[in-house]
Amino acid sequence: ALGRRHARFGCRHLRPGRLDSGRGGSFSIAPPEPFTTERQYVGQTAVLETTFYTAGGRARVIDFFPVLDGINPIQPMREVLRIVEGCAGTTELQIQIQPRPDYGRLQASLQQRGRLGWAYTWHDEILLVRSDVDLLDQGGALEAILTVGKGERRYFSLAYTKSDPAV
């Protein structure tokens, strides 16, 4: 899962749960039932595909960082996109987004911003979460249960900025 890596979005790291399961943050997408996985990069790119196999179906999570083209200057400078795609049958997935800024020393403030999604803020930094999935605030973590069938897609975006306008 992308959130379990040591992802650096800016000057202060977002602490991954693998380093400290009690205080560490995460962005996990995984079936709640037993599953197996396969991971691969798409061709010669940095696009990662994780395929989950469950008793009821198969789903894929596609993770990537968009590359700035230099033409549109007002866009997130640091963004992770995650696409969930149903491949066969139906697959239930648990979603949990729980950032822990400054190596887990800070608790970010979470605000719902209507059509603009959710915002985690601390100091002069912001992490924007957007999705077509209804996420619920569960004590500072955003969570959802999602079922995808063959051909269905759902989208997640995390965009980070520090001391700049958030887009």
Side-chain angles (χ1 to χ4, degrees):
L2 185 65
R4 294 183 185 172
R5 293 187 182 182
H6 194 64
R8 183 172 179 181
F9 281 89
C11 294
R12 296 178 188 255
H13 290 77
L14 297 175
R15 186 180 184 93
R18 178 172 266 173
L19 298 177
D20 184 339
S21 61
R23 291 183 5 196
S26 66
F27 179 2
S28 65
I29 300 175
E33 64 183 286
F35 63 89
T36 59
T37 61
E38 287 181 1
R39 287 193 174 96
Q40 67 179 13
Y41 287 97
V42 178
Q44 297 295 312
T45 71
V47 177
L48 178 64
E49 285 185 347
T50 304
T51 304
F52 294 99
Y53 298 88
T54 67
R58 179 169 41 103
R60 179 177 346 187
V61 178
I62 303 163
D63 294 310
F64 61 97
F65 295 90
V67 177
L68 297 178
D69 60 11
I71 296 170
N72 300 315
I74 299 181
Q75 57 188 349
M77 293 291 290
R78 297 162 194 96
E79 183 177 23
V80 175
L81 297 176
R82 303 191 83 183
I83 301 170
V84 176
E85 178 180 56
C87 300
T90 58
T91 307
E92 183 176 87
L93 297 164
Q94 263 184 322
I95 315 298
Q96 185 185 56
I97 304 168
Q98 189 171 28
R100 290 287 184 249
D102 197 15
Y103 295 98
R105 291 183 286 234
L106 296 177
Q107 175 75 35
S109 173
L110 178 61
Q111 299 172 328
Q112 214 295 325
R113 296 195 171 182
R115 293 186 355 223
L116 298 177
W118 294 85
Y120 285 97
T121 56
W122 63 99
H123 302 303
D124 62 344
E125 300 173 66
I126 186 168
L127 179 71
L128 297 171
V129 179
R130 294 185 184 112
S131 179
D132 59 350
V133 174
D134 289 329
L135 299 167
L136 300 174
D137 179 359
Q138 300 294 323
L142 293 174
E143 296 183 359
I145 299 288
L146 168 65
T147 302
V148 291
K150 183 178 179 178
E152 293 179 322
R153 282 188 161 198
R154 305 306 286 254
Y155 302 91
F156 297 87
S157 164
L158 268 71
Y160 166 85
T161 190
K162 175 183 170 73
S163 302
D164 289 323
V167 178

